């Protein structure tokens, strides 16, 4: 391939800058700039991949307990025929499962201990179509029978109350019962028939499951309060929810991203801040190219003058040094990209090796629910990182290249 001479000369200067012993200091500064860009790009890819991994891990554990989409009566009343609502929702091609439920808040009392909990009334045989937890623990959830007044508690909730399977606890409904003596809270003795552990502290410590018929009677909802839906792709919950809202105007539709909006917004803000902070590292390394190119221009004044006398235009001289700086930026970016992807895809091997070497545990199982460092590299993060790094490196070459194009041949050769 016959490249323009600006590219050939720029590439030659780049190679000479690495190997010419006379310009050792310039080579050192240039190498530091390349290494800085590489480390900055790698750090961005690794950190964002780990954050994506943690977000995916928490999201998967959350979605093992909750449905992707929930349907409620738009007027706030019970759903008279949940089978008809589920059948209508199943007409959407993305809906693969439906189950009724009765959500409520209550207090659980055990002796002098009392905890506020979210109670969810379910039909065990239908719930397995919607949540992976119910499918995985079908035998435990199957113990919830209508009229049996059994309850399945989260493991952390049971531990905090000091109860085990077979113990009796008291459920206190939020709305009282009016008697001649005044308003008396409604109490119901229920039996713990099983425990579950989803791996998500919020649900393990604050969720109690009981049969939908028992929940409807205790909380006087008049029947099923809503219908839960499972989708083929949980990431399309918001779009599917909007489509169901148009198709079923009599229903109020809420998806899991809306239910857990605060948590996901906090994660996105943190991710954006980390992106900005780590991009500054890349920016500092990229603008080190400015000093490298300024010193290179000073050293190559005689070469610039000779090229000018041979007919090179100021634009061509500027192009030569832009190519030299861009090559350093491309080399640093690609090196960082390779290093970042290597670590991100093998972090499950690298972190345990470092833990064994140092004799420490970064994520102790006794403290954190996630004991392994997760990683989920996504091209939606990697591509912007690569493009921004290349743009910063290119911007850093503009001023030194412009200075090189302003060199006057007579002035440069006067003392040669």
């Amino acid at each position: 391939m016959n490249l323009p001479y600006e590219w050939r000369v720029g590439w030659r200067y780049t190679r000479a800058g690495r190997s010419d012993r006379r310009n050792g200091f310039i080579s050192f500064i240039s190498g530091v700039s390349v290494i800085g860009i590489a480390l900055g790009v790698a750090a961005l890819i690794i950190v964002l991949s780990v954050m994506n991994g943690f977000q995916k891990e928490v999201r998967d554990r959350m979605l093992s307990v909750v449905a992707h989409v929930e349907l409620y009566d738009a007027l706030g009343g019970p759903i008279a025929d949940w089978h008809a609502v589920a059948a209508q929702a199943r007409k959407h091609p993305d809906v693969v499962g439906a189950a009724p439920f009765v959500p409520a808040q209550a207090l659980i009392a055990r002796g002098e201990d009392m905890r506020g909990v979210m109670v969810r009334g379910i039909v065990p045989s239908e719930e397995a179509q919607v949540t992976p937890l119910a499918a995985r623990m079908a035998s435990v959830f199957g113990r919830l029978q209508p009229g049996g007044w059994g309850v399945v508690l989260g493991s952390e909730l049971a531990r905090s109350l000091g109860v085990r399977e077979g113990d009796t606890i008291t459920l206190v409904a939020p709305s009282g019962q009016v008697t001649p003596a005044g308003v008396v809270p409604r109490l119901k003795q229920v039996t713990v028939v099983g425990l579950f552990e989803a791996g998500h502290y919020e649900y393990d410590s604050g969720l109690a499951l009981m049969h939908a018929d028992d929940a409807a009677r205790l909380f006087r909802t008049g029947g099923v309060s809503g219908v839960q839906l499972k989708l083929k792709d949980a990431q399309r919950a918001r779009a599917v929810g909007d489509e169901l809202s148009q198709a079923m105007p009599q229903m109020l539709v809420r998806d899991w991203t809306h239910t857990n909006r605060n948590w996901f917004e906090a994660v996105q803000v943190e991710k954006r801040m980390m992106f900005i902070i780590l991009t500054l590292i890349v920016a500092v390394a990229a603008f080190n190219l400015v000093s490298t190119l300024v010193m290179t221009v000073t050293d190559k004044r005689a070469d610039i003058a000779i090229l000018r006398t041979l007919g090179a235009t100021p634009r061509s001289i500027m192009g030569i040094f832009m190519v030299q700086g861009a090559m350093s930026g491309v080399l640093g970016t690609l090196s960082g990209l390779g290093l970042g992807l290597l670590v991100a895809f093998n972090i499950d091997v690298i972190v345990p090796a470092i833990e064994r070497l140092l004799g420490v545990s970064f994520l102790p199982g006794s403290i954190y629910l996630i004991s392994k460092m997760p990683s989920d590299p996504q091209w939606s993060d990697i591509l912007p990182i690569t493009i921004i790094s290349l743009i910063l490196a290119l911007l850093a070459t503009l001023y030194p290249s412009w200075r090189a194009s302003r060199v006057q041949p007579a002035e440069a050769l006067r003392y040669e």
Side-chain angles (χ1 to χ4, degrees), residues 28-345:
F28 174 75
I29 297 298
S30 178
V32 168
S33 301
V34 172
I35 293 174
I37 293 173
L39 291 178
V41 170
L44 258 173
I45 292 174
I46 295 168
V47 169
L48 293 184
S49 297
V50 170
M51 292 186 70
N52 289 335
F54 274 105
Q55 184 177 359
K56 181 177 183 296
E57 191 75 19
V58 173
R59 183 180 66 237
D60 290 347
R61 296 189 181 196
M62 181 187 301
L63 292 178
S64 71
V65 184
V66 300
H68 299 161
V69 176
E70 296 175 349
L71 304 178
Y72 300 90
D73 184 81
L75 301 178
I79 297 178
D81 187 358
W82 73 265
H83 292 282
V85 174
Q88 186 177 358
R90 284 178 182 274
K91 293 179 181 179
H92 194 287
D94 286 320
V95 177
V96 296
F101 75 115
V102 179
Q105 292 182 337
L107 293 175
I108 286 184
R110 166 74 170 176
E112 296 183 355
D113 292 331
M114 188 170 288
R115 298 284 187 277
V117 296
M118 175 65 72
V119 178
R120 184 189 302 164
I122 63 171
V123 178
S125 59
E126 304 288 345
E127 186 73 11
Q129 302 179 30
V130 176
T131 59
L133 181 67
R136 189 173 71 247
M137 303 187 66
S139 59
V140 175
F141 283 23
R143 300 169 191 168
L144 298 174
Q145 298 296 326
W149 294 104
V151 64
V152 177
L153 301 180
S155 56
E156 291 293 330
L157 177 59
R159 188 176 298 115
S160 65
L161 291 171
V163 299
R164 295 179 296 180
E165 186 177 327
D167 290 345
T168 300
I169 57 177
T170 302
L171 269 179
V172 184
S175 56
Q177 183 173 333
V178 180
T179 67
V183 179
V184 177
R186 291 202 313 278
L187 309 177
K188 183 63 182 179
Q189 296 286 329
V190 296
T191 304
V192 178
V193 297
L195 306 177
F196 72 85
E197 185 169 359
H200 193 289
Y201 184 79
E202 180 181 349
Y203 298 108
D204 288 343
S205 64
L207 179 63
L209 302 169
M210 61 190 307
H211 198 278
D213 290 350
D214 294 345
R217 288 172 59 190
L218 176 62
F219 298 104
R220 297 182 177 179
T221 61
V224 170
S225 301
V227 176
Q228 305 175 98
L229 303 178
K230 182 179 180 180
L231 309 180
K232 293 179 181 178
D233 183 5
Q235 300 303 315
R236 295 201 66 243
R238 184 169 296 181
V240 173
D242 292 340
E243 293 169 5
L244 289 174
S245 295
Q246 297 178 2
M248 306 172 67
Q250 78 279 12
M251 306 303 297
L252 175 65
V253 182
R254 296 181 64 185
D255 62 85
W256 66 271
T257 62
H258 176 83
T259 308
N260 303 276
R261 177 182 299 175
N262 291 339
W263 185 82
F264 283 99
E265 287 182 352
V267 170
Q268 291 303 318
V269 170
E270 183 178 356
K271 188 176 175 180
R272 282 194 292 268
M273 291 305 299
M274 290 300 297
F275 184 89
I276 294 172
I277 292 170
L278 293 176
T279 301
L280 294 178
I281 298 176
V282 180
V284 170
F287 282 99
N288 277 341
L289 291 173
V290 175
S291 58
T292 302
L293 289 177
V294 166
M295 289 186 289
T296 303
V297 169
T298 303
D299 183 68
K300 301 293 185 181
R301 287 173 64 87
D303 293 359
I304 295 171
I306 293 172
L307 288 171
R308 288 295 306 276
T309 57
L310 291 175
T313 63
R315 184 175 179 180
S316 297
I317 299 299
M318 187 174 180
I320 289 171
F321 288 95
M322 286 186 68
V323 168
Q324 181 183 356
M327 289 294 179
S328 297
V330 169
L331 181 61
T333 300
L334 294 181
S335 300
L337 179 63
L339 177 62
L341 291 177
L342 178 66
V343 174
F345 280 110

Side-chain angles (χ1 to χ4, degrees), residues 2-11 307 311-313 316-317 320:
N2 189 17
L3 294 174
Y5 77 90
E6 293 91 348
W7 286 76
R8 296 198 298 271
V9 175
W11 174 239
L307 288 171
T313 63
S316 297
I317 299 299
I320 289 171

